Amino acid sequence: MVFEIYVPSDVPTSEKVWDQVIQAGREFSIVPCGLGCRNTLRLESKMALYGHEISDKINVWEAGLDRYCKMEKGDFVGRAALERAKAAGSQRTLVGMR
């Protein structure tokens, strides 16, 4: 199991939480991981990160995020660009890894 924990950025709180989590997890052989691990897990789950899998150059269709883009809901900023992108077809597709 993997957990991502967010805490206030002040040093005393961060150090306290870190120490308590590591201590509590010792009997379970807890291992801290960094952003590389998070990115691997994010890719496996097909979770897009802005600037990587979605950006102003990668649209929702290419990123596989069409389930969040409700074109039938009327006018919105960017609608025309998304319609053009959809009509042109995807040049790439984000996929999950198993």
Side-chain angles (χ1 to χ4, degrees):
M1 238 183 253
V2 175
F3 296 91
E4 190 169 355
I5 301 171
Y6 294 89
V7 297
S9 61
D10 64 279
V11 173
T13 303
S14 297
E15 287 179 352
K16 180 180 178 181
V17 171
W18 177 267
D19 291 341
Q20 288 179 346
V21 167
I22 295 298
Q23 181 61 37
R26 221 171 238 137
E27 69 179 286
F28 305 103
S29 302
I30 192 171
V31 177
C33 64
L35 292 176
C37 182
R38 182 215 53 189
N39 286 341
T40 300
L41 295 168
R42 181 182 53 73
L43 279 173
E44 288 175 351
S45 300
K46 195 179 171 189
M47 297 172 67
L49 180 63
Y50 190 84
H52 293 268
E53 292 82 36
I54 189 166
S55 69
D56 60 346
K57 305 266 188 279
I58 305 169
N59 63 58
V60 295
W61 318 123
E62 293 172 327
L65 298 175
D66 48 304
R67 64 189 176 277
Y68 300 115
C69 186
K70 306 299 181 196
M71 298 295 284
E72 68 279 359
K73 285 204 168 192
D75 199 25
F76 56 87
V77 174
R79 179 185 182 86
L82 287 174
E83 286 174 337
R84 286 190 302 274
K86 189 171 189 174
S90 295
Q91 300 300 309
R92 52 189 157 194
T93 303
L94 175 66
V95 296
M97 296 169 26
R98 191 167 194 178

